[in-house]
Amino acid sequence: EIPKRHMSIEELEHQTETQQKQPWSFRREFQNLNIPCLITGLDATHFQRLNEKWRRNKTPKDDGENEEEKEEKEEAGKINRQWFLEHLGEDHQVPLRYYEEEGSTQCLDGEGRAVECKTRMVTMKDWIDILNKAANNNSPVFYLKDWHLQQVLPSSPPLYSCPEIFQHDLLNSFLMRFTTGDYRFCYWGPAQSVTNRHSDVLHSFSWSYNVAGTKEWTFYSPFLTDTEEIDPMANASGKQDRVIFTVRQETGQTIFVPAKWQHTVVNLEETIS
Protein backbone atom coordinates (compact mmCIF):
# COMPACT_ATOMS: atom_id res chain seq x y z
CA GLU A 1 0.00 0.00 0.00
CA ILE A 2 1.35 3.42 -0.94
CA PRO A 3 1.76 5.84 1.99
CA LYS A 4 -0.76 8.69 2.05
CA ARG A 5 2.14 11.16 1.97
CA HIS A 6 2.83 9.99 -1.59
CA MET A 7 -0.56 11.23 -2.77
CA SER A 8 -0.32 15.02 -2.49
CA ILE A 9 2.15 17.83 -2.01
CA GLU A 10 2.93 18.95 1.52
CA GLU A 11 3.92 22.48 2.46
CA LEU A 12 6.71 23.62 4.75
CA GLU A 13 7.12 27.20 5.93
CA HIS A 14 10.75 28.10 6.53
CA GLN A 15 11.03 29.79 9.94
CA THR A 16 14.11 31.92 10.58
CA GLU A 17 13.71 31.71 14.37
CA THR A 18 14.12 27.91 14.24
CA GLN A 19 16.84 28.01 11.61
CA GLN A 20 19.23 25.77 13.59
CA LYS A 21 16.62 23.02 14.00
CA GLN A 22 15.03 23.33 10.56
CA PRO A 23 17.60 21.31 8.52
CA TRP A 24 17.24 18.28 10.80
CA SER A 25 13.46 18.58 10.82
CA PHE A 26 13.35 18.81 7.02
CA ARG A 27 15.61 15.79 6.57
CA ARG A 28 13.61 13.74 9.06
CA GLU A 29 10.18 14.67 7.69
CA PHE A 30 10.87 14.92 3.94
CA GLN A 31 14.35 14.06 2.66
CA ASN A 32 14.86 10.81 4.55
CA LEU A 33 11.29 9.69 3.80
CA ASN A 34 11.60 10.75 0.15
CA ILE A 35 8.53 13.03 0.24
CA PRO A 36 7.95 16.02 -2.12
CA CYS A 37 7.60 19.38 -0.45
CA LEU A 38 6.55 22.94 -1.40
CA ILE A 39 8.55 25.40 0.71
CA THR A 40 7.75 29.05 1.42
CA GLY A 41 9.85 31.65 3.23
CA LEU A 42 13.24 31.02 1.60
CA ASP A 43 12.80 33.97 -0.76
CA ALA A 44 13.42 36.47 2.04
CA THR A 45 16.27 34.58 3.73
CA HIS A 46 18.41 33.14 0.93
CA PHE A 47 17.32 34.56 -2.43
CA GLN A 48 16.75 38.24 -1.69
CA ARG A 49 19.64 39.50 -3.82
CA LEU A 50 18.58 37.26 -6.70
CA ASN A 51 15.05 38.62 -6.48
CA GLU A 52 16.30 42.20 -6.57
CA LYS A 53 18.39 41.56 -9.68
CA TRP A 54 16.12 39.31 -11.74
CA ARG A 55 12.67 40.72 -11.02
CA ARG A 56 11.20 43.91 -12.41
CA ASN A 57 10.25 45.43 -9.08
CA LYS A 58 8.37 48.59 -10.04
CA THR A 59 5.85 50.43 -7.89
CA PRO A 60 3.51 52.55 -10.04
CA LYS A 61 0.90 54.87 -8.61
CA ASP A 62 -2.37 53.33 -7.48
CA ASP A 63 -4.65 56.25 -8.41
CA GLY A 64 -5.02 57.97 -11.74
CA GLU A 65 -2.87 55.52 -13.65
CA ASN A 66 -2.21 56.26 -17.29
CA GLU A 67 -1.59 53.53 -19.87
CA GLU A 68 2.17 53.56 -19.29
CA GLU A 69 1.71 53.14 -15.54
CA LYS A 70 -0.74 50.29 -16.07
CA GLU A 71 1.83 48.57 -18.28
CA GLU A 72 4.46 49.02 -15.57
CA LYS A 73 2.10 47.49 -13.03
CA GLU A 74 1.63 44.44 -15.23
CA GLU A 75 5.43 44.11 -15.57
CA ALA A 76 6.12 44.44 -11.83
CA GLY A 77 7.63 41.21 -10.47
CA LYS A 78 8.29 39.78 -13.93
CA ILE A 79 11.72 38.95 -15.29
CA ASN A 80 14.26 41.74 -15.61
CA ARG A 81 15.67 40.73 -19.00
CA GLN A 82 17.86 43.81 -19.14
CA TRP A 83 20.00 42.49 -16.28
CA PHE A 84 21.13 39.56 -18.41
CA LEU A 85 21.97 41.78 -21.37
CA GLU A 86 24.02 44.08 -19.14
CA HIS A 87 25.88 41.41 -17.15
CA LEU A 88 26.38 38.75 -19.83
CA GLY A 89 26.30 40.85 -22.99
CA GLU A 90 24.16 40.69 -26.11
CA ASP A 91 26.52 38.17 -27.77
CA HIS A 92 26.66 35.71 -24.89
CA GLN A 93 25.71 32.20 -26.13
CA VAL A 94 22.95 30.26 -24.38
CA PRO A 95 21.59 26.72 -25.00
CA LEU A 96 17.95 26.51 -26.06
CA ARG A 97 16.31 23.09 -25.79
CA TYR A 98 13.37 21.93 -27.84
CA TYR A 99 11.71 18.69 -28.86
CA GLU A 100 12.24 17.53 -32.42
CA GLU A 101 8.54 16.87 -32.91
CA GLU A 102 5.90 19.11 -31.39
CA GLY A 103 4.12 17.35 -28.57
CA SER A 104 6.70 14.55 -28.43
CA THR A 105 6.82 12.65 -25.14
CA GLN A 106 9.32 9.98 -26.13
CA CYS A 107 12.27 11.72 -24.52
CA LEU A 108 13.32 9.36 -21.70
CA ASP A 109 16.52 7.35 -21.71
CA GLY A 110 16.84 3.81 -20.36
CA GLU A 111 17.11 5.13 -16.80
CA GLY A 112 13.98 7.29 -17.07
CA ARG A 113 15.83 10.61 -17.35
CA ALA A 114 14.90 13.36 -19.78
CA VAL A 115 16.65 13.31 -23.14
CA GLU A 116 16.64 16.57 -25.05
CA CYS A 117 16.11 15.91 -28.72
CA LYS A 118 17.64 19.12 -29.99
CA THR A 119 19.82 22.00 -28.73
CA ARG A 120 20.18 25.34 -30.45
CA MET A 121 22.83 27.87 -29.41
CA VAL A 122 21.79 31.51 -29.75
CA THR A 123 22.96 34.87 -28.44
CA MET A 124 21.32 36.48 -25.42
CA LYS A 125 19.93 39.20 -27.69
CA ASP A 126 18.34 36.56 -29.95
CA TRP A 127 16.91 34.76 -26.90
CA ILE A 128 15.19 37.97 -25.78
CA ASP A 129 13.77 38.37 -29.28
CA ILE A 130 12.47 34.78 -29.16
CA LEU A 131 10.77 35.48 -25.83
CA ASN A 132 9.06 38.52 -27.31
CA LYS A 133 7.79 36.46 -30.25
CA ALA A 134 6.68 33.65 -27.94
CA ALA A 135 4.60 36.14 -25.97
CA ASN A 136 2.77 36.91 -29.22
CA ASN A 137 2.32 33.20 -30.05
CA ASN A 138 4.51 33.74 -33.06
CA SER A 139 7.37 31.35 -32.40
CA PRO A 140 8.12 27.68 -31.64
CA VAL A 141 8.47 26.97 -27.91
CA PHE A 142 12.13 26.98 -26.92
CA TYR A 143 13.38 26.54 -23.36
CA LEU A 144 16.66 27.87 -21.96
CA LYS A 145 17.46 25.15 -19.44
CA ASP A 146 20.28 23.06 -17.99
CA TRP A 147 22.13 26.38 -18.24
CA HIS A 148 25.36 26.57 -16.20
CA LEU A 149 24.91 30.27 -15.51
CA GLN A 150 26.89 30.24 -12.27
CA GLN A 151 29.97 29.03 -14.12
CA VAL A 152 30.09 32.19 -16.25
CA LEU A 153 29.13 34.74 -13.59
CA PRO A 154 31.66 36.12 -11.09
CA SER A 155 31.68 34.07 -7.91
CA SER A 156 31.57 37.13 -5.65
CA PRO A 157 29.23 38.37 -4.47
CA PRO A 158 26.98 35.31 -4.94
CA LEU A 159 23.42 35.85 -6.17
CA TYR A 160 22.04 33.53 -3.48
CA SER A 161 23.09 31.31 -0.60
CA CYS A 162 22.17 27.64 -0.59
CA PRO A 163 19.49 27.05 2.07
CA GLU A 164 20.72 25.04 5.04
CA ILE A 165 18.08 22.37 4.46
CA PHE A 166 19.68 21.54 1.07
CA GLN A 167 23.37 21.75 2.02
CA HIS A 168 23.70 17.97 2.44
CA ASP A 169 24.68 17.66 -1.24
CA LEU A 170 27.25 14.94 -1.94
CA LEU A 171 26.95 15.11 -5.74
CA ASN A 172 27.65 18.80 -6.29
CA SER A 173 30.25 19.03 -3.53
CA PHE A 174 32.22 16.21 -5.19
CA LEU A 175 31.90 17.61 -8.72
CA MET A 176 32.83 21.15 -7.71
CA ARG A 177 35.88 19.94 -5.76
CA PHE A 178 37.31 17.44 -8.23
CA THR A 179 35.93 18.51 -11.65
CA THR A 180 34.89 21.63 -13.53
CA GLY A 181 31.24 20.53 -13.73
CA ASP A 182 28.20 20.71 -11.48
CA TYR A 183 24.43 20.23 -11.50
CA ARG A 184 23.50 23.81 -10.60
CA PHE A 185 21.23 24.90 -13.43
CA CYS A 186 19.20 27.94 -14.39
CA TYR A 187 15.85 27.47 -16.20
CA TRP A 188 14.20 30.25 -18.18
CA GLY A 189 11.29 29.62 -20.49
CA PRO A 190 8.19 31.26 -21.99
CA ALA A 191 4.62 30.21 -21.28
CA GLN A 192 3.96 26.57 -22.28
CA SER A 193 7.64 25.60 -22.34
CA VAL A 194 7.88 22.14 -20.82
CA THR A 195 10.16 19.47 -19.47
CA ASN A 196 8.56 16.10 -20.18
CA ARG A 197 8.25 13.26 -17.72
CA HIS A 198 11.65 12.31 -16.28
CA SER A 199 13.62 11.69 -13.10
CA ASP A 200 16.64 13.74 -12.13
CA VAL A 201 20.28 12.89 -12.80
CA LEU A 202 21.44 9.62 -11.20
CA HIS A 203 18.00 9.45 -9.57
CA SER A 204 19.18 12.05 -7.07
CA PHE A 205 16.99 14.54 -5.22
CA SER A 206 16.86 18.18 -6.31
CA TRP A 207 15.34 21.52 -5.44
CA SER A 208 14.09 24.41 -7.57
CA TYR A 209 13.43 28.02 -6.54
CA ASN A 210 11.08 30.20 -8.63
CA VAL A 211 12.56 33.68 -8.96
CA ALA A 212 9.71 34.92 -11.14
CA GLY A 213 6.79 33.22 -12.86
CA THR A 214 4.61 30.17 -12.25
CA LYS A 215 5.22 26.46 -12.87
CA GLU A 216 2.90 23.48 -12.76
CA TRP A 217 4.54 20.27 -11.57
CA THR A 218 3.07 16.82 -12.09
CA PHE A 219 4.57 14.20 -9.76
CA TYR A 220 4.53 10.46 -10.42
CA SER A 221 4.97 8.22 -7.42
CA PRO A 222 8.14 6.05 -7.52
CA PHE A 223 5.76 3.10 -7.12
CA LEU A 224 4.89 3.62 -10.79
CA THR A 225 6.95 2.06 -13.55
CA ASP A 226 8.77 4.32 -16.03
CA THR A 227 6.17 3.85 -18.75
CA GLU A 228 3.04 3.28 -16.67
CA GLU A 229 0.22 5.69 -17.33
CA ILE A 230 -2.08 6.97 -14.62
CA ASP A 231 -5.58 5.69 -14.06
CA PRO A 232 -7.64 8.79 -13.18
CA MET A 233 -10.07 6.64 -11.18
CA ALA A 234 -7.36 4.93 -9.12
CA ASN A 235 -7.60 7.07 -5.99
CA ALA A 236 -11.39 7.36 -6.20
CA SER A 237 -11.75 3.59 -6.36
CA GLY A 238 -9.29 2.97 -3.55
CA LYS A 239 -6.71 1.43 -5.87
CA GLN A 240 -3.58 3.06 -4.53
CA ASP A 241 -1.10 1.38 -6.85
CA ARG A 242 -1.24 4.30 -9.32
CA VAL A 243 -0.66 7.72 -7.86
CA ILE A 244 -0.21 11.13 -9.46
CA PHE A 245 -0.73 14.69 -8.31
CA THR A 246 -0.04 18.22 -9.52
CA VAL A 247 1.09 21.35 -7.71
CA ARG A 248 1.43 24.97 -8.76
CA GLN A 249 4.69 26.68 -7.79
CA GLU A 250 4.37 30.46 -7.54
CA THR A 251 7.02 33.19 -7.51
CA GLY A 252 9.19 32.95 -4.39
CA GLN A 253 8.36 29.31 -3.63
CA THR A 254 10.74 26.34 -3.62
CA ILE A 255 10.03 22.75 -4.65
CA PHE A 256 11.87 19.77 -3.17
CA VAL A 257 11.95 16.84 -5.62
CA PRO A 258 12.84 13.53 -3.91
CA ALA A 259 14.99 10.83 -5.48
CA LYS A 260 13.36 8.65 -8.17
CA TRP A 261 10.18 10.76 -8.33
CA GLN A 262 9.47 11.31 -12.00
CA HIS A 263 7.90 14.64 -12.84
CA THR A 264 6.67 16.86 -15.66
CA VAL A 265 7.07 20.64 -15.47
CA VAL A 266 5.15 23.26 -17.46
CA ASN A 267 5.74 27.01 -17.30
CA LEU A 268 2.32 28.69 -17.09
CA GLU A 269 3.90 32.05 -17.90
CA GLU A 270 7.42 33.27 -18.64
CA THR A 271 9.36 31.84 -15.71
CA ILE A 272 12.93 31.79 -14.42
CA SER A 273 14.18 29.49 -11.69
Side-chain angles (χ1 to χ4, degrees):
E1 180 176 308
I2 296 177
K4 290 184 179 179
R5 297 186 70 187
H6 282 236
M7 298 181 188
S8 63
I9 197 74
E10 296 193 31
E11 295 190 18
L12 171 69
E13 182 177 355
H14 181 76
Q15 302 287 348
T16 55
E17 62 268 19
T18 59
Q19 197 167 0
Q20 296 300 320
K21 297 181 180 179
Q22 190 108 8
W24 296 106
S25 175
F26 169 78
R27 290 167 193 166
R28 182 180 65 251
E29 295 295 323
F30 296 98
Q31 182 176 316
N32 293 347
L33 297 178
N34 219 38
I35 301 296
C37 185
L38 179 66
I39 305 167
T40 58
L42 294 175
D43 53 333
T45 58
H46 293 79
F47 299 102
Q48 188 171 7
R49 187 167 183 268
L50 193 64
N51 299 337
E52 293 172 353
K53 302 297 183 183
W54 289 9
R55 291 180 189 167
R56 293 174 57 94
N57 294 311
K58 297 185 178 181
T59 310
K61 297 178 181 179
D62 292 330
D63 299 323
E65 294 176 337
N66 57 34
E67 289 302 318
E68 183 177 350
E69 288 171 332
K70 288 180 180 179
E71 184 177 344
E72 284 187 346
K73 190 172 184 179
E74 290 177 356
E75 289 295 324
K78 292 188 178 180
I79 299 168
N80 180 12
R81 300 173 182 174
Q82 188 63 31
W83 186 93
F84 296 89
L85 292 171
E86 293 176 356
H87 288 79
L88 298 175
E90 292 185 353
D91 296 328
H92 180 77
Q93 296 282 315
V94 295
L96 304 190
R97 321 292 185 177
Y98 63 101
Y99 295 114
E100 192 168 20
E101 297 180 7
E102 186 175 355
S104 172
T105 58
Q106 303 303 315
C107 289
L108 297 183
D109 64 13
E111 297 297 320
R113 295 186 298 267
V115 175
E116 303 301 340
C117 300
K118 292 288 184 179
T119 298
R120 174 184 173 187
M121 300 299 296
V122 302
T123 65
M124 179 58 67
K125 182 179 183 300
D126 287 340
W127 170 232
I128 301 299
D129 289 340
I130 288 171
L131 287 171
N132 289 330
K133 292 177 181 178
N136 297 322
N137 297 318
N138 194 29
S139 173
V141 178
F142 293 98
Y143 197 170
L144 171 49
K145 61 180 176 176
D146 299 336
W147 181 24
H148 289 278
L149 176 60
Q150 293 189 84
Q151 294 184 7
V152 299
L153 286 174
S155 58
S156 181
L159 287 172
Y160 70 92
S161 60
C162 181
E164 294 85 353
I165 59 176
F166 300 134
Q167 286 183 354
H168 186 65
D169 184 352
L170 298 178
L171 184 58
N172 271 315
S173 60
F174 175 86
L175 291 173
M176 294 168 65
R177 181 177 180 181
F178 296 105
T179 76
T180 59
D182 60 47
Y183 287 108
R184 300 177 300 165
F185 299 123
C186 180
Y187 294 79
W188 182 2
Q192 300 309 309
S193 51
V194 61
T195 298
N196 284 332
R197 181 176 170 179
H198 69 287
S199 59
D200 290 323
V201 60
L202 299 177
H203 293 308
S204 60
F205 68 78
S206 65
W207 58 271
S208 178
Y209 171 73
N210 253 17
V211 183
T214 307
K215 295 177 182 286
E216 182 179 78
W217 296 70
T218 302
F219 282 97
Y220 301 83
S221 167
F223 289 88
L224 293 166
T225 64
D226 288 345
T227 58
E228 188 174 11
E229 293 298 327
I230 243 13
D231 177 0
M233 298 302 294
N235 289 344
S237 64
K239 297 178 180 178
Q240 297 177 349
D241 58 330
R242 296 182 175 89
V243 178
I244 184 175
F245 59 85
T246 62
V247 59
R248 178 174 293 200
Q249 181 190 16
E250 306 285 354
T251 294
Q253 295 182 332
T254 306
I255 284 279
F256 170 67
V257 183
K260 294 187 178 181
W261 279 75
Q262 292 188 356
H263 47 281
T264 300
V265 189
V266 180
N267 291 319
L268 302 182
E269 59 182 329
E270 185 181 341
T271 303
I272 191 166
S273 59

